[in-house]
């Protein structure tokens, strides 16, 4: 007799289409986003699911957790867990797996790409050539990168991967975390303002969530100053996006490179009109290789939780239960 496949609730389509196919091959998948009335579906069938698959971008709201009385495990595709409702999950003792480690290189590469582009005006230069301006004008002089100071807000796995990249550009590195790291070779700045004053480039790699909301505000941008650049590859709401728009418009900072926004997929419209900001649609982890590795870990977390009761990689507040 054929074994029945474990039933899985999939919150929505995954950021690697192949993973949708693989999940459906292994499990009896029910896709919540495809139900005509997701609320009614959960009211009728919510009690059948012990496992939920989602992504860092989709997260899981409290009303979904509350509608799944037998939920035991969430496997989330991504390293950020700010969109997973911590209170609702902890209240119910649900365990949560995620995909740290496998995306550090690509996210750090994107931070450097945005940094180089913002400073050297690469995207603006591309527009300049395509729009036929080259035969009439010179492209304006830009800012040097090599040898400049790199400040990192959030020296975790991704921050330290960015810092390692910086040595290839002879950039001194400093960082700010809530506490200095015991074994870091980099200069610790005890406040974000001091880091911003010190830095030519301020790169945000801090975790998103309530504790970091609008940490980078107008005051921090003014400390970075008119020759400074801001790069964000973390979460949109670590940065006050409206304050950034004003700082860019008024030349209070030199430029910015953003992969993340406060209300994705809708950057503030004023950003679109500015030439001194490079915009990317939240693609820092978006390479075939990295998304594959994230998919593999999402699958392995599920498989191992089912076999042993613990995933391969568990969100810290879940593991602490
Ligand atoms: C994901 C991310 O691509 O991992 C994260 O936290 O933000 C990105 O790598 C995206 O959230 C897909 O879930």
């Amino acid at each position: 007799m054929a074994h029945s496949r474990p039933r899985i609730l999939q919150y929505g389509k995954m950021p690697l289409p192949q993973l949708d196919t693989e999940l459906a091959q292994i499990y009896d998948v029910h896709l919540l986003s495809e139900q005509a009335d997701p609320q009614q579906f959960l009211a009728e069938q919510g009690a059948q699911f012990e496992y939920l698959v989602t992504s860092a971008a989709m997260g899981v709201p409290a009303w979904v957790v509350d509608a799944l009385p037998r939920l035991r495990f969430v496997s989330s595709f991504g390293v950020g867990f700010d969109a997973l409702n911590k209170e609702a999950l902890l209240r119910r003792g649900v365990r949560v797996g995620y995909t740290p480690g496998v995306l550090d290189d690509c996210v750090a590469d994107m931070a450097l790409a945005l940094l180089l582009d913002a400073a050297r005006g690469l995207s603006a230069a591309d527009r300049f050539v395509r729009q036929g301006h080259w035969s009439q004008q010179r492209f304006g002089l830009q800012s040097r990168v090599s040898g400049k100071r790199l400040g990192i807000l959030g020296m975790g796995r991704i921050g330290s991967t960015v810092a390692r990249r910086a040595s290839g550009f002879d950039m001194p590195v400093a960082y700010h975390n809530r506490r200095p790291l015991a074994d870091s070779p980099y200069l610790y700045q005890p406040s974000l303002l001091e880091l911003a004053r010190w830095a030519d480039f301020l790169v945000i790699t801090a975790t998103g969530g309530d504790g970091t909301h609008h940490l980078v505000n107008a005051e921090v941008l003014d400390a970075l100053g008119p020759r400074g650049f801001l790069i964000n590859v973390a979460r949109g709401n670590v940065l006050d996006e409206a304050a950034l728009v004003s700082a860019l418009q008024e030349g209070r900072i030199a430029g910015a490179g953003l992969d993340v926004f406060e209300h994705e997929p809708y950057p503030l419209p004023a950003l679109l009109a500015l030439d001194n900001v490079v915009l990317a649609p939240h693609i820092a982890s978006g390479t075939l290789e990295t998304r594959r590795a994230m998919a593999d870990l999402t699958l392995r977390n599920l498989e191992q939780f089912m076999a042993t009761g613990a995933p391969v990689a568990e969100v810290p507040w879940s593991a602490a239960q």
Side-chain angles (χ1 to χ4, degrees):
M1 200 177 80
H3 255 297
S4 68
R5 296 175 300 162
R7 189 177 284 128
I8 302 265
L9 182 67
Q10 189 179 326
Y11 193 71
K13 294 255 169 110
M14 301 305 283
L16 181 75
Q18 184 63 22
L19 180 57
D20 294 328
T21 311
E22 289 160 357
L23 282 165
Q25 278 161 359
I26 307 168
Y27 302 108
D28 174 18
V29 171
H30 298 254
L31 194 54
L32 187 60
S33 59
E34 297 230 316
Q35 304 304 322
D37 182 343
Q39 238 154 328
Q40 193 189 337
F41 172 81
L42 288 186
E44 286 165 11
Q45 303 201 36
Q48 298 182 11
F49 296 101
E50 294 176 50
Y51 310 107
L52 174 79
V53 176
T54 187
S55 72
M58 296 186 285
V60 58
W63 73 267
V64 172
V65 178
D66 294 342
L68 300 168
R70 293 178 58 221
L71 184 64
R72 295 171 57 216
F73 182 63
V74 174
S75 186
S76 179
F77 180 105
V79 70
F81 40 80
D82 48 306
L84 300 162
N85 194 298
K86 178 179 167 182
E87 284 79 50
L89 291 160
L90 284 180
R91 195 165 53 231
R92 296 270 312 287
V94 177
R95 307 277 295 268
V96 185
Y98 71 143
T99 68
V102 295
L103 42 64
D104 303 344
D105 283 327
C106 281
V107 177
D109 291 351
M110 181 60 75
L112 265 294
L114 288 170
L115 187 158
L116 287 162
D117 191 333
R120 299 299 307 270
L122 194 59
S123 292
D126 180 88
R127 290 191 290 272
F128 180 86
V129 173
R130 286 175 200 273
Q131 289 163 6
H133 299 311
W134 194 9
S135 54
Q136 281 98 49
Q137 305 167 35
R138 289 194 178 144
F139 189 68
L141 297 182
Q142 306 291 308
S143 295
R144 178 184 168 98
V145 170
S146 293
K148 294 276 186 73
R149 293 170 164 190
L150 177 66
I152 296 183
L153 172 60
M155 187 63 91
R157 277 180 295 254
I158 294 171
S160 50
T161 310
V162 173
R164 282 204 309 279
R165 304 274 186 282
S167 70
F169 293 89
D170 303 319
M171 301 174 88
V173 174
Y175 72 100
H176 175 69
N177 279 9
R178 266 167 304 185
R179 280 172 291 282
L181 298 168
D183 52 359
S184 174
Y186 307 112
L187 176 68
Y188 178 69
Q189 295 285 5
S191 76
L192 173 53
L193 273 179
E194 281 164 276
L195 180 70
R197 262 184 230 118
W198 176 90
D200 297 303
F201 296 93
L202 181 61
V203 177
I204 307 176
T205 48
T207 320
D210 292 344
T212 54
H213 184 261
H214 283 193
L215 216 51
V216 178
N217 55 20
E219 201 187 353
V220 173
L221 295 171
D222 284 331
L224 185 59
R227 303 189 61 172
F229 290 85
L230 181 89
I231 309 300
N232 191 3
V233 290
R235 280 293 180 266
N237 61 11
V238 182
L239 168 69
D240 181 340
E241 203 170 299
L244 177 75
V245 167
S246 304
L248 288 167
Q249 284 171 337
E250 294 158 16
R252 286 165 27 234
I253 68 166
L258 307 175
D259 185 50
V260 288
F261 301 87
E262 282 200 62
H263 303 289
E264 295 177 7
Y266 304 107
L268 280 179
L271 285 171
L272 310 185
L274 290 167
D275 222 25
N276 54 349
V277 60
V278 181
L279 307 171
H282 200 148
I283 52 167
S285 72
T287 63
L288 289 171
E289 296 87 342
T290 287
R291 289 278 165 92
R292 183 66 256 170
M294 293 166 79
D296 288 342
L297 191 45
T298 305
L299 290 169
R300 277 198 289 132
N301 278 334
L302 257 179
E303 190 185 302
Q304 187 175 300
F305 181 84
M306 288 179 189
T308 70
V312 179
E314 187 163 5
V315 166
W317 45 253
S318 169
Q321 294 185 75

